[in-house]
Amino acid sequence: DVGAASPFAQNLARCVALLEASLPDFVSPLRTENCGDWVGFAGARPLLADFYEALRVLVVSFEEAEDAASLLLKMSDASADEETWSPDARAAIASFVGGLSEDWPRFAQLKTVLREELDRHGESFCGVVFVQQRVTTRIVRYVVGADAALAKDIVSPRVIHAGTPPSEDVATLRAFAAGESNLLIATNKAEEGMDLPKGSVVVCFDEVLTPVSLAQSRGRARQERSEFIVLRQREDRTVRDLEAVERHQADVIAREESARGEAVQVSDAYYQAEEAAPRLLTPATLSNAAVASPPSPIHAKSARVRLKERCDCLRSTLRFQESVADGRGAALSENGHPGFVSEAWIDGKRVGNRGYGNSKAEAKENAAADAISSLDLPVTLSNAAV
């Protein structure tokens, strides 16, 4: 219901409608397709793709991510394929995008954190920023590069997300390890299974949703005097809540292993790291930040295994549907590599966005990781598998 939407959402939807109306015989995907597929329908029209992506960001956040959607539109090239769009569409876009702000509190907080850590660590600075969506990696890199004070000290920021091919990921990690890049912006793809170099600061830009994500992202802050910073936390799922689930689960694992006469490794490792309580505070420069000292990382299972365990706990049926990407799929993968596509289906319903990869296994893993994020289950022991 556009009428019940915010003014920003209404203006964005109006611009999208005008762009679509400029294309003869174009059928809008907005009412018939999954929002994760919208961008693919833009084809070779980057401006329409950016507006679809901004609208998707707004929809999946229940209109809370106006900051990210605004910055994405500020990044877009309004002159792209200009001859395609009607005069009304061009005028509406110029007015709408021209009036958008680039000064948003959450991104200002991130820049403050990075600036403080750069000053504290100097040339040894090595930062990782975790985000939930691949589009946010683009936005954060844009924000960092547009800040003159940061740009002079941030060296070649790199991104990793579900759409980056393995060869590019390898090159990114090598550059990061060699100091050719000192800032990595990544989705949960880099939380799991990648051997990241030790970071002097790890920042969770978005809310941390599960104890597993907390443990994995926190485990990347392994340098001496390193910091682990969460810029936003949900009221019903705070960092303290997630840590409590970790401790509870460590207890359960310890009891089970002890009953079987096995070595109690996970629990011991966790409590040794937790002898000094995590340092949680709210710096004056950050309105809603939690900073914790990093304990040792806890080994985590692959996204596919964790998703299967969740479904088993809920007695749900999980299956993966796989195919070779077509032209539209290649556009969604952002790299022009068709490769493979996988979808996670739970109890006959597709969950999360499609996963892409150069192999079926990689596509399935990416689909499982996105499905886990999409489930948004309550934080309980049964769905917080370590």
Side-chain angles (χ1 to χ4, degrees):
D1 183 2
V2 175
S6 68
F8 175 85
Q10 292 183 44
N11 286 324
L12 175 56
R14 177 172 176 267
C15 287
V16 169
L18 288 170
L19 288 171
E20 292 177 335
S22 302
L23 303 173
D25 303 321
F26 182 78
V27 178
S28 173
L30 299 186
R31 293 189 180 276
T32 60
E33 302 293 333
N34 185 297
C35 65
D37 298 337
W38 291 347
V39 173
F41 285 84
R45 305 179 187 96
L47 185 62
L48 181 59
D50 282 343
F51 270 79
Y52 276 156
E53 188 68 273
L55 190 60
R56 186 194 67 81
V57 166
L58 208 61
V59 168
V60 299
S61 70
F62 299 98
E63 299 190 32
E64 291 183 3
E66 184 175 325
D67 53 357
S70 295
L71 287 167
L72 178 61
L73 295 176
K74 296 293 282 189
M75 292 164 53
S76 67
D77 181 6
S79 64
D81 42 294
E82 189 173 17
E83 68 284 351
T84 304
W85 314 118
S86 68
D88 285 346
R90 293 199 299 269
I93 288 170
S95 175
F96 177 48
V97 176
L100 297 177
S101 173
E102 291 195 37
D103 186 19
W104 295 94
R106 186 163 53 131
F107 289 92
Q109 289 173 352
L110 175 62
K111 291 192 289 185
T112 297
V113 166
L114 294 177
R115 183 69 267 163
E116 290 177 349
E117 293 301 314
L118 280 163
D119 292 341
R120 193 160 73 95
H121 291 277
E123 293 184 357
S124 67
F125 171 85
C126 185
V128 181
V129 179
F130 283 116
V131 300
Q132 289 180 6
Q133 300 185 52
R134 71 174 69 179
V135 66
T136 315
T137 63
R138 290 176 53 200
I139 298 169
V140 169
R141 183 161 62 175
Y142 165 79
V143 168
V144 170
D147 186 282
L150 288 177
K152 66 183 181 67
D153 293 319
I154 297 291
V155 180
S156 184
R158 304 290 184 96
V159 302
I160 289 179
H161 53 67
T164 52
S167 58
E168 186 176 321
D169 294 341
V170 170
T172 292
L173 293 177
R174 285 177 178 168
F176 196 57
E180 298 169 6
S181 169
N182 63 2
L183 183 66
L184 177 65
I185 308 159
T187 63
N188 62 359
K189 180 181 181 181
E191 286 180 1
E192 307 164 350
M194 286 192 174
D195 186 18
L196 295 184
K198 295 179 180 180
S200 58
V201 60
V202 173
V203 180
C204 291
F205 183 73
D206 297 305
E207 298 93 336
V208 183
L209 298 179
T210 69
V212 171
S213 183
L214 178 67
Q216 290 179 332
S217 56
R218 183 182 57 200
R220 304 302 185 180
R222 297 175 301 200
Q223 278 191 13
E224 186 178 356
R225 299 190 307 130
S226 62
E227 293 274 22
F228 172 64
I229 300 171
V230 179
L231 286 185
R232 284 175 59 165
Q233 54 184 356
R234 284 174 40 161
E235 292 183 3
D236 63 338
R237 199 172 302 195
T238 67
V239 172
R240 291 291 195 192
D241 293 335
L242 300 179
E243 288 175 334
V245 173
E246 281 187 281
R247 287 191 292 271
H248 185 88
Q249 186 150 15
D251 280 337
V252 171
I253 293 172
R255 287 196 297 270
E256 290 180 350
E257 291 180 344
S258 179
R260 294 194 300 265
E262 299 176 1
V264 185
Q265 296 177 346
V266 176
S267 181
D268 283 351
Y270 183 83
Y271 283 111
Q272 286 169 12
E274 288 289 305
E275 287 177 357
R279 182 165 56 90
L280 298 174
L281 52 92
T282 305
T285 53
L286 304 177
S287 62
N288 183 27
V291 182
S293 56
S296 301
I298 298 175
H299 178 71
K301 301 169 185 175
S302 72
R304 282 179 290 171
V305 171
R306 290 190 287 115
L307 182 60
K308 178 65 166 61
E309 289 179 342
R310 283 191 179 184
C311 290
D312 289 345
C313 287
L314 297 171
R315 298 183 180 178
S316 296
T317 301
L318 169 67
R319 69 178 177 87
F320 287 92
Q321 183 172 307
E322 299 164 349
S323 61
V324 177
D326 56 15
R328 192 174 69 191
L332 276 172
S333 70
E334 299 184 355
N335 290 285
H337 302 295
F340 295 90
V341 180
S342 182
E343 298 174 350
W345 288 70
I346 298 176
D347 291 338
K349 181 179 180 181
R350 184 175 131 189
V351 179
N353 293 322
R354 292 170 176 165
Y356 295 87
N358 290 338
S359 66
K360 289 184 179 180
E362 183 185 8
K364 187 182 292 186
E365 181 70 8
N366 290 333
D370 197 86
I372 289 173
S373 299
S374 299
L375 283 174
D376 196 21
L377 295 173
V379 181
T380 62
L381 180 62
S382 63
N383 57 51
V386 175

